PDB file of all heavy atoms in Angstrom:
ATOM      1  N   GLY I 750     -15.690  38.876  76.390  1.00  0.00           N
ATOM      2  CA  GLY I 750     -14.381  38.710  76.780  1.00  0.00           C
ATOM      3  C   GLY I 750     -14.084  39.611  78.054  1.00  0.00           C
ATOM      4  O   GLY I 750     -15.123  40.307  78.453  1.00  0.00           O
ATOM      5  N   ASN I 751     -12.968  39.502  78.576  1.00  0.00           N
ATOM      6  CA  ASN I 751     -12.459  40.480  79.603  1.00  0.00           C
ATOM      7  C   ASN I 751     -13.323  40.398  80.915  1.00  0.00           C
ATOM      8  O   ASN I 751     -13.833  41.310  81.414  1.00  0.00           O
ATOM      9  CB  ASN I 751     -12.426  41.882  79.327  1.00  0.00           C
ATOM     10  CG  ASN I 751     -11.338  42.184  78.465  1.00  0.00           C
ATOM     11  OD1 ASN I 751     -10.217  41.583  78.701  1.00  0.00           O
ATOM     12  ND2 ASN I 751     -11.379  42.974  77.473  1.00  0.00           N
ATOM     13  N   GLY I 752     -13.641  39.158  81.404  1.00  0.00           N
ATOM     14  CA  GLY I 752     -14.430  38.967  82.586  1.00  0.00           C
ATOM     15  C   GLY I 752     -13.736  38.486  83.741  1.00  0.00           C
ATOM     16  O   GLY I 752     -12.361  38.400  83.696  1.00  0.00           O
ATOM     17  N   ARG I 753     -14.382  38.054  84.847  1.00  0.00           N
ATOM     18  CA  ARG I 753     -13.806  37.447  85.930  1.00  0.00           C
ATOM     19  C   ARG I 753     -14.877  36.697  86.751  1.00  0.00           C
ATOM     20  O   ARG I 753     -15.972  37.027  86.699  1.00  0.00           O
ATOM     21  CB  ARG I 753     -13.012  38.401  86.931  1.00  0.00           C
ATOM     22  CG  ARG I 753     -13.759  39.434  87.614  1.00  0.00           C
ATOM     23  CD  ARG I 753     -13.004  40.066  88.657  1.00  0.00           C
ATOM     24  NE  ARG I 753     -11.752  40.549  88.104  1.00  0.00           N
ATOM     25  CZ  ARG I 753     -10.539  39.967  88.610  1.00  0.00           C
ATOM     26  NH1 ARG I 753     -10.564  38.925  89.430  1.00  0.00           N
ATOM     27  NH2 ARG I 753      -9.484  40.428  88.114  1.00  0.00           N
ATOM     28  N   LEU I 754     -14.454  35.617  87.314  1.00  0.00           N
ATOM     29  CA  LEU I 754     -15.239  34.821  88.318  1.00  0.00           C
ATOM     30  C   LEU I 754     -14.278  34.511  89.522  1.00  0.00           C
ATOM     31  O   LEU I 754     -13.270  33.961  89.402  1.00  0.00           O
ATOM     32  CB  LEU I 754     -15.782  33.569  87.759  1.00  0.00           C
ATOM     33  CG  LEU I 754     -16.524  32.646  88.725  1.00  0.00           C
ATOM     34  CD1 LEU I 754     -17.761  33.306  89.150  1.00  0.00           C
ATOM     35  CD2 LEU I 754     -16.765  31.377  88.034  1.00  0.00           C
ATOM     36  N   GLY I 755     -14.757  35.039  90.673  1.00  0.00           N
ATOM     37  CA  GLY I 755     -13.856  35.156  91.821  1.00  0.00           C
ATOM     38  C   GLY I 755     -12.659  35.843  91.514  1.00  0.00           C
ATOM     39  O   GLY I 755     -12.672  36.854  90.916  1.00  0.00           O
ATOM     40  N   ASP I 756     -11.407  35.188  91.739  1.00  0.00           N
ATOM     41  CA  ASP I 756     -10.315  36.018  91.422  1.00  0.00           C
ATOM     42  C   ASP I 756      -9.595  35.480  90.146  1.00  0.00           C
ATOM     43  O   ASP I 756      -8.422  35.597  90.009  1.00  0.00           O
ATOM     44  CB  ASP I 756      -9.289  36.178  92.629  1.00  0.00           C
ATOM     45  CG  ASP I 756      -9.130  34.727  93.384  1.00  0.00           C
ATOM     46  OD1 ASP I 756      -9.466  33.642  92.613  1.00  0.00           O
ATOM     47  OD2 ASP I 756      -8.814  34.635  94.536  1.00  0.00           O
ATOM     48  N   VAL I 757     -10.296  34.725  89.319  1.00  0.00           N
ATOM     49  CA  VAL I 757      -9.690  34.308  88.044  1.00  0.00           C
ATOM     50  C   VAL I 757     -10.237  35.137  86.924  1.00  0.00           C
ATOM     51  O   VAL I 757     -11.505  35.261  86.827  1.00  0.00           O
ATOM     52  CB  VAL I 757     -10.090  32.793  87.914  1.00  0.00           C
ATOM     53  CG1 VAL I 757      -9.530  32.343  86.519  1.00  0.00           C
ATOM     54  CG2 VAL I 757      -9.430  31.974  88.985  1.00  0.00           C
ATOM     55  N   ARG I 758      -9.399  35.629  86.085  1.00  0.00           N
ATOM     56  CA  ARG I 758      -9.737  36.465  84.854  1.00  0.00           C
ATOM     57  C   ARG I 758     -10.226  35.553  83.758  1.00  0.00           C
ATOM     58  O   ARG I 758      -9.596  34.552  83.614  1.00  0.00           O
ATOM     59  CB  ARG I 758      -8.698  37.293  84.475  1.00  0.00           C
ATOM     60  CG  ARG I 758      -8.302  38.479  85.490  1.00  0.00           C
ATOM     61  CD  ARG I 758      -6.958  38.989  85.127  1.00  0.00           C
ATOM     62  NE  ARG I 758      -5.783  38.035  84.993  1.00  0.00           N
ATOM     63  CZ  ARG I 758      -4.747  38.168  84.332  1.00  0.00           C
ATOM     64  NH1 ARG I 758      -4.608  39.149  83.459  1.00  0.00           N
ATOM     65  NH2 ARG I 758      -3.875  37.236  84.260  1.00  0.00           N
ATOM     66  N   ILE I 759     -11.412  35.943  83.092  1.00  0.00           N
ATOM     67  CA  ILE I 759     -11.839  35.260  81.979  1.00  0.00           C
ATOM     68  C   ILE I 759     -11.356  36.048  80.745  1.00  0.00           C
ATOM     69  O   ILE I 759     -11.545  37.297  80.557  1.00  0.00           O
ATOM     70  CB  ILE I 759     -13.317  35.206  81.942  1.00  0.00           C
ATOM     71  CG1 ILE I 759     -13.995  34.763  83.228  1.00  0.00           C
ATOM     72  CG2 ILE I 759     -13.830  34.621  80.843  1.00  0.00           C
ATOM     73  CD1 ILE I 759     -13.809  33.330  83.421  1.00  0.00           C
ATOM     74  N   ASN I 760     -10.536  35.328  79.843  1.00  0.00           N
ATOM     75  CA  ASN I 760     -10.059  35.830  78.629  1.00  0.00           C
ATOM     76  C   ASN I 760     -11.122  36.074  77.708  1.00  0.00           C
ATOM     77  O   ASN I 760     -11.283  37.135  77.116  1.00  0.00           O
ATOM     78  CB  ASN I 760      -8.999  34.986  78.117  1.00  0.00           C
ATOM     79  CG  ASN I 760      -8.476  35.285  76.702  1.00  0.00           C
ATOM     80  OD1 ASN I 760      -9.266  35.206  75.789  1.00  0.00           O
ATOM     81  ND2 ASN I 760      -7.291  35.861  76.665  1.00  0.00           N
ATOM     82  N   ARG I 761     -12.027  34.940  77.432  1.00  0.00           N
ATOM     83  CA  ARG I 761     -13.002  35.024  76.429  1.00  0.00           C
ATOM     84  C   ARG I 761     -14.138  33.941  76.698  1.00  0.00           C
ATOM     85  O   ARG I 761     -13.938  33.002  77.316  1.00  0.00           O
ATOM     86  CB  ARG I 761     -12.534  34.854  75.082  1.00  0.00           C
ATOM     87  CG  ARG I 761     -11.726  33.586  74.844  1.00  0.00           C
ATOM     88  CD  ARG I 761     -11.103  33.495  73.527  1.00  0.00           C
ATOM     89  NE  ARG I 761     -11.991  33.096  72.376  1.00  0.00           N
ATOM     90  CZ  ARG I 761     -11.838  33.539  71.173  1.00  0.00           C
ATOM     91  NH1 ARG I 761     -10.918  34.452  70.894  1.00  0.00           N
ATOM     92  NH2 ARG I 761     -12.661  33.179  70.210  1.00  0.00           N
ATOM     93  N   ALA I 762     -15.341  34.296  76.226  1.00  0.00           N
ATOM     94  CA  ALA I 762     -16.299  33.275  76.033  1.00  0.00           C
ATOM     95  C   ALA I 762     -16.973  33.329  74.676  1.00  0.00           C
ATOM     96  O   ALA I 762     -17.306  34.418  74.208  1.00  0.00           O
ATOM     97  CB  ALA I 762     -17.431  33.519  77.103  1.00  0.00           C
TER      98      ALA I 762
END
Side-chain angles (χ1 to χ4, degrees):
Chain I
N751 281 327
R753 65 166 48 249
L754 175 65
D756 42 23
V757 173
R758 293 168 300 152
I759 305 296
N760 172 288
R761 60 187 277 144

